[in-house]
Amino acid sequence: MAALPQSVVDPVADAIFASYKAKYGVESQRPYLGASAIGKPCLRQHWYSFRWSKPAEFSGRLYRVFQTGHLQEPRIYADLAAIGCTVYDMDPATGKQWSFTEPTSGNHFKGNADGIVTGLPQAPKSPHVLEIKTASDKMFKDMQKSGVKKAKPEHYAQMQMYMKWSIDLYGEDGCTRAIYIVVNKNDDDIYTERLEYDKNETQAIIDKALAVITATEPPVGISQDPSWYECKFCDYHSICYGTDVPAPTCRSCAHATPEMDGDARWSCAEHRADLPVDIQRTGCDLHRYIPILLSKSAMPVDLVPGGVVYEMNGKQFVNGTPANHPTHISSAEIHACNDKTALIDEFALDLRLQHGGQFV
């Protein structure tokens, strides 16, 4: 019997990855600053994320990797139960995943824990925040060598915040301990590490979160070198070092402000109204970029009715609403222009005006 022909392209794998991309690639960016990421060092990266500057782009294969991590959670719950522990994977008060929020941040800083566990062999009476992760073989060995605080500072910060928030909510019944459980994706080995609550650490983390939330412009980044390894692989590299600008949602608009009154609320000075999350995602035709976001290609020089005047290479354009002023250029058009010099190209601008067109 002749061997089945084998294609260079794998249609089965490609179809599976495409299904993951279709299912998970449309998920909206979360509306809050997450405890799971705040331990990363760059304030500017956090600000761009909080302001929805650029949707995360992952391959279908990576979405499947993420789901592999989620699949470990029920398995670890069962493993812990098998050795006599009691796992609370849901908050008994709500029947939902453990969810925490920081009131001093206006509730813009939040996180969701994997669970609470009691009956650990080392400390059978102490409740522990439970955090479950998977890791590559290299990262797993780094973890064994250095511990979570050094190897994965974002996970360390995440657990510190969950302990703090559980104490805030439940007082003496809260968790002053956490257990970190990591599964090696290569050979299924397990690493565990117990952590103790550190009040000073959590206050530093909260201060960092507040600096991000309240900043009206991008904070200073971790480096000024575009080839620095933490910058080179950052999702926002083309915005931070190039001429790309954030997506024109309400969160990149000069009119919008995250309010600190405790309702995780955003307000719009132009509309004089609150901004529901779904409205924030779409923005409106009165969107005006926070001026510094265009600084890689143009500088603000003046204000005119309905717009902000920018100068580039000795020429000017206005970020405004074309429906009100045909020569003004909308934020959506600015975002669409890969080559920002088109915004001052007289030929392109004449065609746009003559035909009522727009940059796309």
Side-chain angles (χ1 to χ4, degrees), residues 185-202:
K185 288 185 281 190
N186 184 60
D187 61 8
D188 231 29
D189 198 3
I190 295 174
Y191 170 82
T192 71
E193 181 177 344
R194 292 173 64 229
L195 304 178
E196 185 174 8
Y197 171 59
D198 188 319
K199 185 176 181 180
N200 293 330
E201 289 275 5
T202 57

Side-chain angles (χ1 to χ4, degrees), residues 40-61:
K40 294 181 179 179
C42 185
L43 291 180
R44 177 168 286 207
Q45 181 187 52
H46 290 303
W47 191 91
Y48 283 139
S49 175
F50 183 58
R51 294 285 180 147
W52 296 342
S53 298
K54 187 177 182 181
E57 293 287 342
F58 301 112
S59 67
R61 183 189 66 81

Side-chain angles (χ1 to χ4, degrees), residues 286-341:
L286 297 179
H287 184 283
R288 304 290 180 266
Y289 272 115
I290 298 169
I292 198 172
L293 296 178
L294 304 184
S295 63
K296 297 296 183 181
S297 54
M299 295 300 295
V301 294
D302 201 1
L303 292 173
V304 295
V308 181
V309 182
Y310 288 86
E311 185 171 297
M312 180 196 304
N313 300 336
K315 298 180 180 180
Q316 295 183 347
F317 68 91
V318 179
N319 178 199
T321 305
N324 299 333
H325 303 275
T327 60
H328 290 190
I329 300 174
S330 70
S331 294
E333 292 179 279
I334 294 172
H335 179 254
C337 283
N338 291 326
D339 181 357
K340 296 296 186 283
T341 60

Side-chain angles (χ1 to χ4, degrees), residues 121-165:
Q122 312 97 309
K125 295 183 179 180
S126 299
H128 286 60
V129 165
L130 172 62
E131 193 59 35
I132 302 166
K133 302 292 186 184
T134 61
S136 66
D137 188 58
K138 179 180 183 302
M139 176 52 66
F140 189 87
K141 288 180 169 60
D142 286 345
M143 195 77 62
Q144 290 177 312
K145 179 181 177 181
S146 305
V148 63
K149 186 174 183 179
K150 182 176 180 181
K152 272 289 184 180
E154 60 266 39
H155 295 170
Y156 175 81
Q158 181 181 9
M159 287 182 284
Q160 285 293 340
M161 288 311 308
Y162 293 161
M163 285 188 279
K164 189 265 185 189
W165 286 331

